[in-house]
Amino acid sequence: MKKMNKHIFTLSALTILTACGGSEQKEQPILDAVNSSLESVSPKLVVTQGVITGFGSIYVDGVKYNTDTSNIMKNGLSTQLSALSVGMKISFSAQENDSGEWIAQDVEYDTEIEGTIQSIDRSTGQLLIANTVVYYNDLTHFIDTSEALISVGQRVEISGYPQADGTFLASYIEADTDVNNDDYEYTAGIVSNLDEAALQFTINNVVIDYSSAVLDGLLTNDTYVKVEGNLLGDVMVATEVDARTVKESLDVDDDSVLRYEIEGLITQISATSMGVNGQVFDFADNIDVEGTLLNDLTVGMFVEVYINNNQVTSVELKRPDYSSDGKVKGIIEDIDSVNKTITVNGVVYAINEFSRFEDDDEQYFNFDSLNINDYVEIAYLNTSPLLSVLKIEKEDQDEYKQEWEMKGQVTAILSNSITVNGAEIQLDANAKYIINDVLVSLETFLAQLVVGDRVEIEGQYDANNVFVLGKVELENDDGDDGDDGDDGDDGDDGDNGDHTGGYVEFEGTVTELLTANSFMINGYEVRLSANAELELNDRDVNLTTFMAALTVGSIIEIEGQWVDNQYILASEAELE
């Protein structure tokens, strides 16, 4: 995956000092030689890795790159710009022309994770695909599907960032509708436990057997690889292992490159080196650090680094993590074209060059495409004086009414409502109320809630555009915002993908029937409570009917609570 640079570069002026007493006749040949040399130097390439933020030609991190003459590759095949989408992580090389315009040359996109969804933990924003734990959050772009519509058994393609613990943070999830799939599954991440004798290594909990694989690049521990293969139990038998660096995948030589720019998550760091997206580089002697101090850089931070001669010369802290401060959905009430702001639910949001625009039906969607009364979903940062849009998605009416989550600070509390992101949410005694992963009553929830608390609200708009509340969650532990943006760092509660505490909302496949009211889902024991709400093909049924319909291989959705970190006591279960 490669990203393009967003800065203007100029050749340094070459100054020739004239020695005292020197003659013009001696200096002129030198000047002529210098001028001739300068004329023969062509601007060098800048090679970058990052995420597409918009089109027209292509924008990466808010900067436009002309793609009129670009060679565009997707998964190893030549293609057109229309095959790319916002959220994809790409790699490319570019040159600046005499007019100051950046011209992209080779542009390459490769799917990193691909396969059938094995399980979904909606309480932590976590998917299992090809035995790989994948996190999604408010900045993830869903194409031809949505956070509400993804389901077990669906095949998806994913792009994003490998993490230090072997899990993966998705910037892009697309429903894979290709009827000509090769039936392989694909995973990517940081290599550990490399055993060159047994020809095996692991990515998170995935054991990779590469004994019969084609290996491209140098395979070492703590580096990033992509793997194609077939799952056999807990082992992926690889057919291909791609361990190439950005330089190798774009086939550029160092002499033609001014520098490399890589945007992503810090995957390792020491006193002398750092890894970003699994690519490790030594620090240069005089390293520039922007947005923080060198000693304060830690694993999981979202940064952009400049690389010269295989050394890090500059680090810019983009954000403490790849996240937003909140999410809201609503109808655009006002647009200020001069100041580039929009108003949703009475709150004004600022749009800048880094804002990402997403519309499944319109690749060239941008600020000028917005209209009053448009349905939009916004992920934002808390900035002053206005909230800044990180991602804005334009929705049709059907998508707008799907179940979704709102995240933000509570600004008002009444006995029957709270206000979040300018939207007044009516409280319903039948909704679920959760504090620190524990189900509580509405009364208990209101007693502990104060203005300024951050909450996550789940529900959907009805036919009259009234928000129907399903769940409100308060995480008031110090420094813990739940899965709002921290999915990539601690959304797995430190268990490398296992969520074995508190409230859980899970979808998976039944792997074993245990008793008259219990079964296993993807290795987790589930017990149905005596008063559980049970649905079979959208009909309410009793326990006996529900269990009679349950078989190994059934796909089931459950909601409930972990008991002693040993089993899930389900209060709701749904079987299609």
Side-chain angles (χ1 to χ4, degrees), residues 40-41 132 148 154 172 174 182 226 243 254 266 268 279 282-283 286 344 390 405 413 421 430 494 503 511 514 537:
S40 66
V41 172
T132 304
Q154 182 180 28
Y172 167 90
E174 179 183 13
D182 53 20
K226 290 176 289 186
D254 286 334
I266 297 177
Q268 66 182 80
Q279 302 168 74
D282 292 331
F283 289 134
N286 298 308
V344 177
L390 284 173
E405 286 187 336
I413 303 172
N421 296 331
N430 294 319
Y503 175 82
T511 53
L514 299 176
N537 296 324

Side-chain angles (χ1 to χ4, degrees), residues 504-560:
V504 63
E505 186 176 350
F506 192 83
E507 180 179 344
T509 303
V510 174
T511 53
E512 185 180 356
L513 299 175
L514 299 176
T515 70
N517 71 331
S518 66
F519 46 90
M520 300 291 290
I521 304 180
N522 295 90
Y524 299 135
E525 181 181 351
V526 178
R527 301 180 188 178
L528 299 177
S529 68
N531 57 350
E533 297 177 14
L534 306 175
E535 284 189 28
L536 175 61
N537 296 324
D538 295 324
R539 285 188 306 114
D540 292 336
V541 296
N542 61 27
L543 176 61
T544 303
T545 302
F546 187 85
M547 290 300 298
L550 204 61
T551 60
V552 171
S554 296
I555 295 174
I556 187 172
E557 296 182 49
I558 61 103
E559 291 187 43

